[in-house]
């Protein structure tokens, strides 16, 4: 399901401040009524329908702005080159413009009557912009409303994610998740077999015709035929329909019907798809979380020969370490919800205390793509979490990837970033044969103990910042100073020299 995303503001407009929330659902369109409710703008609808949805704002004095419109715009114009209102409005409607804002004075003393008639006839909302209202003020108001709408949608999706995770922890998880999903979307949620047989359902019942259309849509994504899509959408009258194939559930399909379709609904449905895929998988039972945690620990510590048969593939995989941003410890429930959001059941919530949550994510095809592109498809910042991710690694390098993820998490916490990916050696460093680079690193760093080497690596990665290094390592800044001073003594090197730092950084990156 394609959704509108937050656009880049056109020239001459001012976007809102960048939201502090991490990426999430797309920005919902802004109802025209919300903009008209801004009394300080003094806008007045004088023609066309009362309802419209705005995706962005554009200002143009061209006689035909059609080639430069994407659809969904509130087009602002003073009518400098307006000669044929009927043709002008027809072109705007053909381009998919949402509404026209016409500024009176100095070009036109009033909105031309022929323009009003054309907008009424062709169904385009026409707003009168008073002379004291700059077009930039209207653009700023729209961007502010879009930012507010995005934050509301992020909060809604976060609440839905928490509610679905709580439902998944109940003794009857599948019906509970469906019931919660139907409540969140305001419609009906049905779990169907590949043949269209109902397994579980929740929410208000559908009339026979839309119910049949939903069943037919579910068959489109059923995994009985090669090449079936993973999801599909349709409409039946005023009812929005969607279907999603579940993984690991013997061809099960999640089918949804709702009277409305909000921009974040696809995200909410995606979370439910992951949860239901895990819950409906064969042999899933109450001990699944314990088994997943044990599997994560084994995979990160076992030999490749022991691990490969369990996975059925050599990778690549990425390891993620995560901690709650507010410092509260994570339990099995919150860790499971995080895994569901990221699309994996391999989650280890730790053994209490300050341990990070550890996750394993399969990244099909990532080995053929450079970072950060390989992670971009699957790993995104998650509300309330700080994440550190390793580069994609084969099964034979999972232990090293685990160390990289821990390092990335420490770096993310120190820099207050929601996500940090520890990329592999690249650039000029990649030109040195790995064996020679490793031998050089061992010889150069031989005088350092493991704690000193870790401190030096972290300190260099944070550009010599004492406070951030202390945060990343969980020690006092004076301890960092003492350790770095000791490193300089043992290596007999001036750590303020950039050449020295570059050589040490290259060596530390080999480990």
């Amino acid at each position: 399901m394609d959704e509108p995303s937050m656009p880049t503001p056109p020239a001459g407009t001012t976007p809102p401040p960048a939201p502090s929330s991490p990426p999430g659902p797309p920005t919902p369109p802004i109802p025209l009524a919300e903009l008209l409710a801004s009394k300080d703008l003094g806008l007045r609808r004088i023609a066309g329908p009362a309802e419209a949805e705005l995706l962005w704002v554009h200002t143009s004095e061209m006689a035909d702005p059609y080639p430069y419109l994407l659809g969904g715009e509130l087009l602002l114009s003073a009518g400098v080159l307006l000669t044929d209102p009927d043709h002008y409005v027809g072109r705007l409607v053909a381009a998919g413009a949402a509404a026209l804002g016409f500024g009176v004075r100095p070009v036109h003393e009033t909105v031309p009557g022929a323009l009003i008639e054309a907008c009424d006839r062709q169904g385009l909302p026409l707003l009168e912009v008073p002379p004291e209202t700059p077009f930039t003020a209207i653009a700023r108001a729209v961007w502010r409303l879009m930012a507010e709408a995005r934050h509301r949608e992020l909060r809604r999706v976060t609440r839905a994610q928490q509610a679905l995770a709580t439902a998944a922890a109940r003794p009857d998880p599948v019906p509970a998740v469906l019931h919660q999903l139907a409540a969140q979307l305001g419609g009906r949620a049905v779990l169907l077999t590949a043949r269209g047989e109902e397994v579980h359902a929740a929410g208000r019942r559908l009339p026979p015709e839309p119910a049949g259309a939903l069943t037919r849509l579910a068959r489109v994504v059923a995994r009985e035929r090669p090449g079936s899509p993973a999801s599909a959408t349709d409409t039946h009258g005023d009812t929005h329909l969607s279907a999603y194939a579940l993984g690991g559930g013997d061809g099960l399909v999640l089918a949804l019907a709702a009277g409305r379709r909000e921009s974040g609904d696809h995200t909410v449905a995606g979370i439910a798809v992951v949860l239901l895929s895990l819950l409906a998988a064969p042999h899933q039972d109450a001990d699944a979380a314990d088994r997943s945690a044990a599997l994560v620990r084994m995979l990160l510590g076992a030999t490749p020969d022991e691990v490969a048969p369990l996975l059925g593939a050599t990778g690549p995989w990425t390891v993620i370490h995560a901690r709650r941003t507010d410092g509260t410890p994570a339990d099995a429930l919150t860790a499971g919800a995080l895994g569901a959001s990221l699309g994996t059941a391999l989650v280890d919530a730790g053994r209490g205390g300050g341990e990070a949550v550890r996750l394993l994510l399969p990244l099909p095809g990532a080995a053929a793509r450079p970072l950060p592109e390989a992670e971009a498809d699957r790993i995104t910042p998650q509300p309330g979490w700080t994440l550190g991710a390793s580069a994609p690694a084969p099964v034979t390098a999972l232990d090293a990837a685990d160390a990289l993820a821990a390092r990335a998490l420490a770096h993310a916490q120190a820099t207050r970033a929601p996500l940090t990916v520890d990329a592999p050696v690249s650039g000029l460093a990649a030109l040195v044969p790995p064996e020679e680079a490793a031998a050089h690193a061992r010889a150069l760093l031989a005088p350092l103990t493991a704690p000193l080497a870790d401190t030096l690596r972290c300190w260099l990665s944070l550009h010599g910042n004492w406070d951030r290094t202390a945060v990343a390592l969980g020690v006092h800044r004076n301890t960092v100073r003492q350790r770095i001073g000791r490193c300089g003594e043992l290596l007999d090197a001036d750590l303020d020299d950039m050449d020295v730092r570059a050589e040490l950084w290259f060596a530390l990156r080999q480990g």
Side-chain angles (χ1 to χ4, degrees), residues 275-294:
L275 286 171
L276 291 170
S277 295
L278 302 178
L279 294 169
H283 313 301
Q284 191 72 278
D285 55 35
D287 297 326
D290 291 339
R291 291 202 311 275
S292 292

Side-chain angles (χ1 to χ4, degrees), residues 60-65 67-68 77 81 88:
S60 175
E61 295 300 341
M62 300 184 67
D64 181 13
Y68 302 95
S77 174
L81 298 178
Y88 182 77

